[in-house]
């Protein structure tokens, strides 16, 4: 008998609370936050929008039309022209980026592992020196490195630019892995030592399999930094190994003929496509890796 008196109560409560929930959802502070976020997104995305639509326009349409207007007759001819200008640099950048990413990550992981668990004599001093190296501007080190590369007979070659990226990437890679391993319980290392594990066995079979999150973070940082580098590639790579950024500069800053804005925009997007794709695809793993200990220590 009692169930007949309780049924009308629930609809009456939802009817009363719904307007209050809607009022809370549209508070002035929340509207201001959304307005700020929308303005910030518009500010950063508007140049990308102009670049994309300009790259699909002909030069006649660019000269006569609105810079924000969509192309009336879209064409991929500027993209084909741009790719013919920077395709060689693309493969040079791939040849530079692959070893310049793998080697610093491997060396940084070994350094971080040794500094966190084995602590050789003077480990803190060595770590301080590496940290100082991470904050020295690249321009300060160019002349000594040019002198060293020239005397070693590798200046202007692929090994030279890879070695330079390894040198500049190793301090920050060591910092990332050292802080990551500092968050690993030391009892795990002690248990591996009791089981007879040595330096390399513990590193390869225990620490390295646990390092996937920080390896992803380090790979994203190193690939992005090496791919977007201009000054080191201009100085150390030589004419035959010039990366994509150097060839992009040559395309945009040409002083002969008519300035082709559509080709320049397409070449710029092609140069930035790989780092953008990496950020869009692996952004979630990057955040997870940072949260897993990259900034701890």
């Amino acid at each position: 008998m009692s169930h007949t008196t309780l049924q009308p109560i629930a609809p009456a409560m939802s009817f009363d609370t719904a307007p209050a929930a809607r009022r809370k959802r549209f508070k002035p502070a929340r509207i201001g936050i959304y307005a700020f976020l929308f303005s910030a997104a518009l500010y950063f995305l508007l140049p990308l929008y102009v670049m994309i639509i300009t790259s699909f326009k002909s030069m006649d349409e660019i000269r006569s039309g609105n810079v924000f207007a969509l192309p009336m007759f879209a064409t991929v001819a500027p993209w084909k022209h741009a790719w013919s200008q920077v395709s060689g640099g693309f493969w040079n950048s791939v040849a530079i980026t692959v070893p310049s990413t793998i080697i610093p990550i491997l060396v940084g992981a070994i350094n971080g592992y040794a500094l966190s668990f084995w602590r050789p004599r003077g480990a803190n001093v060595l770590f301080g020196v590496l940290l100082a190296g991470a904050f020295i501007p690249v321009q300060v080190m160019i002349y000594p490195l040019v002198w060293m590369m020239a005397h070693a007979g590798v200046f202007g070659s692929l090994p030279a630019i890879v070695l330079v990226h390894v040198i500049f990437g190793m301090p920050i890679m060591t910092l990332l892995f050292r802080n990551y391993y500092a968050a690993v319980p030391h009892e795990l290392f002690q248990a591996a030592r009791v089981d007879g594990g040595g330096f390399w066995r513990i590193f390869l079979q225990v620490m390295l399999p646990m390092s996937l999150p920080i390896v992803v973070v380090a790979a994203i940082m190193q690939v992005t930094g090496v791919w977007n580098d201009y000054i080191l590639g201009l100085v150390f790579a030589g004419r035959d190994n010039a990366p994509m950024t150097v060839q992009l500069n040559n395309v945009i800053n040409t002083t002969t003929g008519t300035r082709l804005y559509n080709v320049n925009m397409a070449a710029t997007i092609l140069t930035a496509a790989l780092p953008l794709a990496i950020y869009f695809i692996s952004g979630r793993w990057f955040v997870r890796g940072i949260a897993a200990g990259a900034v701890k220590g």
Side-chain angles (χ1 to χ4, degrees):
M1 292 298 177
S2 59
H3 65 280
T4 56
T5 58
L6 296 177
Q7 288 178 351
I9 296 176
M13 291 179 63
S14 61
F15 179 79
D16 294 337
T17 56
R22 283 196 293 270
R23 285 196 298 271
K24 291 181 179 178
R25 193 177 298 124
F26 294 104
K27 291 190 297 185
R30 186 177 295 273
I31 294 174
I33 292 174
Y34 280 117
F36 171 77
L37 294 176
F38 178 78
S39 302
L42 185 65
Y43 177 80
F44 285 106
L45 292 179
L46 190 58
L48 180 62
Y49 166 76
V50 173
M51 291 175 63
I52 293 175
I53 63 172
T54 304
S55 65
F56 286 102
K57 294 179 180 178
S58 65
M59 283 304 299
D60 293 335
E61 188 175 350
I62 291 174
R63 295 190 187 96
S64 60
N66 187 345
V67 68
F68 298 106
L70 292 172
M72 297 178 62
F73 305 99
T75 174
V76 295
W79 288 82
K80 293 179 179 178
H81 189 186
W83 178 248
S84 68
Q85 297 291 316
V86 299
S87 58
F90 174 82
W91 295 113
N92 289 341
S93 292
V94 172
I96 294 171
T97 303
V98 172
S100 299
T101 300
I102 296 175
I103 297 175
I105 289 177
L106 184 59
V107 175
I110 296 173
N111 289 345
Y113 161 68
L115 292 173
S116 299
F117 295 105
W118 293 87
R119 292 187 174 277
R121 181 175 297 177
N124 292 332
V125 176
L126 177 61
F127 184 59
V129 172
L130 287 173
L131 277 183
F135 298 103
I136 295 178
V138 174
Q139 293 81 356
V140 176
M141 300 296 294
I142 283 182
Y143 179 75
L145 286 174
V146 168
W147 185 86
M148 292 171 58
M149 297 292 177
H151 281 72
V154 296
F155 180 74
S157 64
L158 183 62
I161 184 62
V162 171
L163 182 59
V164 169
H165 281 301
V166 170
I167 292 173
F168 282 105
M170 188 177 61
I172 191 65
M173 295 296 109
T174 300
L175 174 64
L176 286 177
F177 281 95
R178 188 262 185 188
N179 288 349
Y180 182 80
Y181 289 136
V184 176
H186 203 73
E187 290 77 8
L188 184 64
F189 172 75
Q190 295 292 351
R193 290 286 292 158
V194 171
D195 290 340
F199 183 92
W200 293 109
R201 186 178 179 186
I202 296 176
F203 175 70
L204 295 175
Q205 297 184 359
V206 179
M207 298 301 165
L208 204 56
M210 299 172 54
S211 306
L212 182 59
I214 197 62
V215 168
V216 173
V217 173
I220 293 173
M221 293 180 62
Q222 192 67 9
V223 167
T224 305
V226 174
W227 191 274
N228 291 331
D229 165 68
Y230 170 74
I231 186 169
L232 295 179
L234 178 66
V235 175
F236 293 97
R239 185 184 298 274
D240 296 335
N241 302 290
M244 205 172 185
T245 50
V246 175
Q247 294 195 356
L248 172 65
N249 178 72
N250 296 337
V251 171
I252 293 177
N253 291 329
T254 179
T255 56
T256 59
T258 306
R259 188 174 294 275
L260 303 175
Y261 296 104
N262 50 1
V263 175
N264 294 347
M265 298 298 177
T268 303
I269 296 173
L270 286 173
T271 304
L274 182 64
L276 285 176
I278 290 176
Y279 272 122
F280 288 144
I281 295 173
S282 59
R284 181 174 57 182
W285 291 286
F286 182 81
V287 174
R288 287 181 180 178
I290 288 290
V295 295
K296 296 177 181 177

